[in-house]
Amino acid sequence: MRRHLGLTQKQLALLAGVSQSLIAKIESGKIDPAYSKVMQIISALEAEQNKGKKTVAQIMSPHIASVAPSDNLQKAISIMRGKDISQLPVFSDGHCVGSLSDGMIVDLVASRGGELKSILVGEVMAESYPVVPASSLVDVAVSLLHHYRAVLVEKDGKAAGIITRADIFKAI
């Protein structure tokens, strides 16, 4: 990995905070290094490899439109229309507890008719969206968006933003 990144042993040693001779001994197989030293070296290599890549915090939408489980579907539809979005996270006490999508609402209208005021979000919501730390690379969100309609971004233990496929397109 060091060679692939174009680093000399000395450069890697400086990045990892270890001696160049330790790097040389590890690469030649002369020593079995301490776990902590290996982790320092791996962290330095990963940081170098990820240099210049965007994090989810850089592309997320910081304003999260959401509903509560106690809201009715009519409110969810109004929010989705007003903000021109196709999905909403469902929050309760600051935590995501579910999700709602336009497809789910269309299916409900088809099966139950047009009366949505009496249906609560909590009765029909799906599983919540995955949550990633704000320092995660965009690649992580892209991978998750293959399976979910949105990814929530967490910073300091709180939801700080949301990423959808539209945000990925904007970042390109």
Side-chain angles (χ1 to χ4, degrees), residues 110-139:
S111 66
R112 295 190 186 185
E115 183 54 44
L116 302 178
K117 288 182 181 178
S118 62
I119 301 173
L120 299 180
V121 170
E123 296 172 14
V124 296
M125 67 184 183
E127 67 181 326
S128 60
Y129 299 123
V131 179
V132 297
S135 60
S136 299
L137 295 177
V138 170
D139 299 349

CSV table of all heavy atoms in Angstrom, one decimal, residues 110-139:
chain,number,residue,atom,x,y,z
A,110,ALA,N,-54.0,3.9,-3.1
A,110,ALA,CA,-54.6,2.9,-4.0
A,110,ALA,C,-55.3,1.8,-3.2
A,110,ALA,O,-56.4,1.3,-3.6
A,110,ALA,CB,-53.5,2.2,-4.8
A,111,SER,N,-54.8,1.5,-2.0
A,111,SER,CA,-55.5,0.4,-1.2
A,111,SER,C,-56.6,0.9,-0.3
A,111,SER,O,-57.5,0.2,0.0
A,111,SER,CB,-54.4,-0.4,-0.4
A,111,SER,OG,-53.8,0.4,0.6
A,112,ARG,N,-56.4,2.2,0.2
A,112,ARG,CA,-57.4,2.7,1.2
A,112,ARG,C,-58.3,3.8,0.7
A,112,ARG,O,-59.1,4.3,1.5
A,112,ARG,CB,-56.6,3.1,2.5
A,112,ARG,CG,-55.9,2.0,3.2
A,112,ARG,CD,-55.4,2.5,4.5
A,112,ARG,NE,-54.6,1.5,5.2
A,112,ARG,CZ,-54.1,1.7,6.4
A,112,ARG,NH1,-54.4,2.8,7.1
A,112,ARG,NH2,-53.4,0.8,7.0
A,113,GLY,N,-58.0,4.3,-0.4
A,113,GLY,CA,-58.8,5.4,-0.9
A,113,GLY,C,-58.1,6.7,-0.6
A,113,GLY,O,-57.0,6.8,-0.1
A,114,GLY,N,-58.8,7.8,-0.8
A,114,GLY,CA,-58.2,9.2,-0.6
A,114,GLY,C,-58.2,9.7,0.8
A,114,GLY,O,-57.6,10.8,1.0
A,115,GLU,N,-58.8,9.2,1.8
A,115,GLU,CA,-58.9,9.7,3.1
A,115,GLU,C,-57.6,9.4,3.9
A,115,GLU,O,-57.4,8.3,4.4
A,115,GLU,CB,-60.1,9.2,3.8
A,115,GLU,CG,-60.3,9.8,5.2
A,115,GLU,CD,-60.3,11.4,5.2
A,115,GLU,OE1,-61.0,12.0,4.4
A,115,GLU,OE2,-59.7,12.0,6.1
A,116,LEU,N,-56.7,10.4,4.0
A,116,LEU,CA,-55.4,10.2,4.6
A,116,LEU,C,-55.3,10.9,6.0
A,116,LEU,O,-54.3,10.7,6.7
A,116,LEU,CB,-54.3,10.6,3.7
A,116,LEU,CG,-54.2,9.9,2.4
A,116,LEU,CD1,-53.1,10.5,1.5
A,116,LEU,CD2,-54.1,8.4,2.5
A,117,LYS,N,-56.2,11.8,6.3
A,117,LYS,CA,-56.1,12.5,7.6
A,117,LYS,C,-56.2,11.7,8.8
A,117,LYS,O,-55.6,12.0,9.8
A,117,LYS,CB,-57.2,13.6,7.6
A,117,LYS,CG,-57.0,14.7,6.7
A,117,LYS,CD,-58.1,15.8,6.8
A,117,LYS,CE,-57.8,16.9,5.8
A,117,LYS,NZ,-58.8,18.0,5.8
A,118,SER,N,-56.9,10.6,8.7
A,118,SER,CA,-57.1,9.7,9.8
A,118,SER,C,-55.9,8.7,10.0
A,118,SER,O,-55.8,8.0,11.0
A,118,SER,CB,-58.4,8.9,9.8
A,118,SER,OG,-58.4,8.1,8.6
A,119,ILE,N,-55.0,8.6,9.0
A,119,ILE,CA,-53.9,7.7,9.1
A,119,ILE,C,-52.7,8.4,9.6
A,119,ILE,O,-52.3,9.4,9.1
A,119,ILE,CB,-53.6,7.1,7.7
A,119,ILE,CG1,-54.8,6.4,7.1
A,119,ILE,CG2,-52.4,6.1,7.8
A,119,ILE,CD1,-54.6,5.9,5.7
A,120,LEU,N,-52.2,7.8,10.7
A,120,LEU,CA,-51.0,8.4,11.3
A,120,LEU,C,-49.7,7.8,10.7
A,120,LEU,O,-49.7,6.7,10.3
A,120,LEU,CB,-51.0,8.2,12.8
A,120,LEU,CG,-52.1,8.7,13.6
A,120,LEU,CD1,-52.0,8.4,15.1
A,120,LEU,CD2,-52.2,10.2,13.4
A,121,VAL,N,-48.7,8.6,10.6
A,121,VAL,CA,-47.4,8.2,10.1
A,121,VAL,C,-46.9,7.0,10.8
A,121,VAL,O,-46.4,6.0,10.1
A,121,VAL,CB,-46.4,9.4,10.1
A,121,VAL,CG1,-45.0,8.9,9.8
A,121,VAL,CG2,-46.8,10.5,9.2
A,122,GLY,N,-47.0,7.0,12.1
A,122,GLY,CA,-46.5,5.8,12.9
A,122,GLY,C,-47.1,4.5,12.5
A,122,GLY,O,-46.6,3.4,12.8
A,123,GLU,N,-48.3,4.5,12.0
A,123,GLU,CA,-49.0,3.3,11.6
A,123,GLU,C,-48.5,2.7,10.3
A,123,GLU,O,-48.7,1.5,10.1
A,123,GLU,CB,-50.5,3.6,11.4
A,123,GLU,CG,-51.3,4.1,12.7
A,123,GLU,CD,-52.7,4.5,12.4
A,123,GLU,OE1,-53.2,4.3,11.3
A,123,GLU,OE2,-53.3,5.2,13.2
A,124,VAL,N,-47.9,3.5,9.5
A,124,VAL,CA,-47.5,3.0,8.1
A,124,VAL,C,-46.0,3.2,7.8
A,124,VAL,O,-45.6,2.8,6.8
A,124,VAL,CB,-48.3,3.7,7.0
A,124,VAL,CG1,-49.8,3.4,7.2
A,124,VAL,CG2,-48.1,5.2,7.1
A,125,MET,N,-45.3,3.8,8.7
A,125,MET,CA,-43.9,4.1,8.4
A,125,MET,C,-43.1,2.8,8.2
A,125,MET,O,-43.4,1.7,8.8
A,125,MET,CB,-43.2,5.0,9.5
A,125,MET,CG,-43.1,4.3,10.8
A,125,MET,SD,-42.5,5.5,12.0
A,125,MET,CE,-42.3,4.4,13.5
A,126,ALA,N,-42.0,2.9,7.5
A,126,ALA,CA,-41.0,1.8,7.2
A,126,ALA,C,-39.8,2.0,8.2
A,126,ALA,O,-39.8,2.9,9.0
A,126,ALA,CB,-40.6,1.8,5.8
A,127,GLU,N,-38.8,1.1,8.0
A,127,GLU,CA,-37.6,1.2,8.8
A,127,GLU,C,-36.9,2.5,8.7
A,127,GLU,O,-37.1,3.2,7.6
A,127,GLU,CB,-36.7,0.0,8.5
A,127,GLU,CG,-36.1,0.1,7.1
A,127,GLU,CD,-35.2,-1.1,6.8
A,127,GLU,OE1,-34.5,-1.6,7.7
A,127,GLU,OE2,-35.1,-1.5,5.7
A,128,SER,N,-36.2,2.9,9.6
A,128,SER,CA,-35.4,4.2,9.6
A,128,SER,C,-34.3,4.1,8.6
A,128,SER,O,-33.8,3.0,8.3
A,128,SER,CB,-35.0,4.6,11.0
A,128,SER,OG,-34.1,3.7,11.5
A,129,TYR,N,-33.8,5.2,8.2
A,129,TYR,CA,-32.6,5.3,7.3
A,129,TYR,C,-31.3,5.0,8.1
A,129,TYR,O,-31.3,5.3,9.3
A,129,TYR,CB,-32.5,6.7,6.6
A,129,TYR,CG,-33.7,7.0,5.8
A,129,TYR,CD1,-34.5,8.1,6.1
A,129,TYR,CD2,-34.2,6.2,4.8
A,129,TYR,CE1,-35.6,8.5,5.3
A,129,TYR,CE2,-35.3,6.5,4.0
A,129,TYR,CZ,-36.0,7.6,4.3
A,129,TYR,OH,-37.1,7.9,3.5
A,130,PRO,N,-30.3,4.5,7.4
A,130,PRO,CA,-29.1,4.3,8.1
A,130,PRO,C,-28.4,5.6,8.5
A,130,PRO,O,-28.7,6.7,7.9
A,130,PRO,CB,-28.2,3.6,7.1
A,130,PRO,CG,-28.8,3.8,5.7
A,130,PRO,CD,-30.3,4.1,6.0
A,131,VAL,N,-27.6,5.6,9.5
A,131,VAL,CA,-26.9,6.8,10.0
A,131,VAL,C,-25.4,6.6,9.9
A,131,VAL,O,-24.9,5.5,10.3
A,131,VAL,CB,-27.3,7.0,11.5
A,131,VAL,CG1,-26.6,8.3,12.0
A,131,VAL,CG2,-28.9,7.2,11.6
A,132,VAL,N,-24.7,7.6,9.4
A,132,VAL,CA,-23.3,7.5,9.3
A,132,VAL,C,-22.7,8.8,10.0
A,132,VAL,O,-23.3,9.8,10.0
A,132,VAL,CB,-22.8,7.5,7.8
A,132,VAL,CG1,-23.3,6.2,7.2
A,132,VAL,CG2,-23.2,8.7,7.0
A,133,PRO,N,-21.4,8.6,10.5
A,133,PRO,CA,-20.8,9.8,11.1
A,133,PRO,C,-20.5,10.9,10.0
A,133,PRO,O,-20.2,10.5,8.9
A,133,PRO,CB,-19.5,9.2,11.7
A,133,PRO,CG,-19.7,7.8,11.7
A,133,PRO,CD,-20.7,7.4,10.7
A,134,ALA,N,-20.4,12.1,10.4
A,134,ALA,CA,-20.2,13.2,9.5
A,134,ALA,C,-18.8,13.1,8.8
A,134,ALA,O,-18.6,13.6,7.7
A,134,ALA,CB,-20.3,14.5,10.2
A,135,SER,N,-17.9,12.4,9.4
A,135,SER,CA,-16.5,12.2,8.9
A,135,SER,C,-16.4,11.1,7.8
A,135,SER,O,-15.4,10.9,7.2
A,135,SER,CB,-15.5,12.0,10.0
A,135,SER,OG,-15.9,10.8,10.7
A,136,SER,N,-17.5,10.4,7.6
A,136,SER,CA,-17.5,9.3,6.7
A,136,SER,C,-17.3,9.8,5.2
A,136,SER,O,-17.7,10.9,4.9
A,136,SER,CB,-18.8,8.5,6.7
A,136,SER,OG,-19.0,7.9,7.9
A,137,LEU,N,-16.6,9.0,4.4
A,137,LEU,CA,-16.4,9.4,3.0
A,137,LEU,C,-17.7,9.2,2.2
A,137,LEU,O,-18.6,8.4,2.6
A,137,LEU,CB,-15.3,8.5,2.4
A,137,LEU,CG,-13.9,8.7,3.0
A,137,LEU,CD1,-13.0,7.8,2.3
A,137,LEU,CD2,-13.4,10.1,2.9
A,138,VAL,N,-17.9,10.0,1.2
A,138,VAL,CA,-19.0,9.9,0.3
A,138,VAL,C,-19.2,8.5,-0.2
A,138,VAL,O,-20.4,8.1,-0.4
A,138,VAL,CB,-18.9,11.0,-0.8
A,138,VAL,CG1,-20.0,10.8,-1.8
A,138,VAL,CG2,-19.0,12.4,-0.3
A,139,ASP,N,-18.2,7.8,-0.4
A,139,ASP,CA,-18.3,6.4,-0.9
A,139,ASP,C,-19.2,5.6,0.0
A,139,ASP,O,-19.9,4.7,-0.5
A,139,ASP,CB,-16.9,5.7,-1.0
A,139,ASP,CG,-15.9,6.5,-1.9
A,139,ASP,OD1,-16.4,7.3,-2.7
A,139,ASP,OD2,-14.7,6.1,-1.9
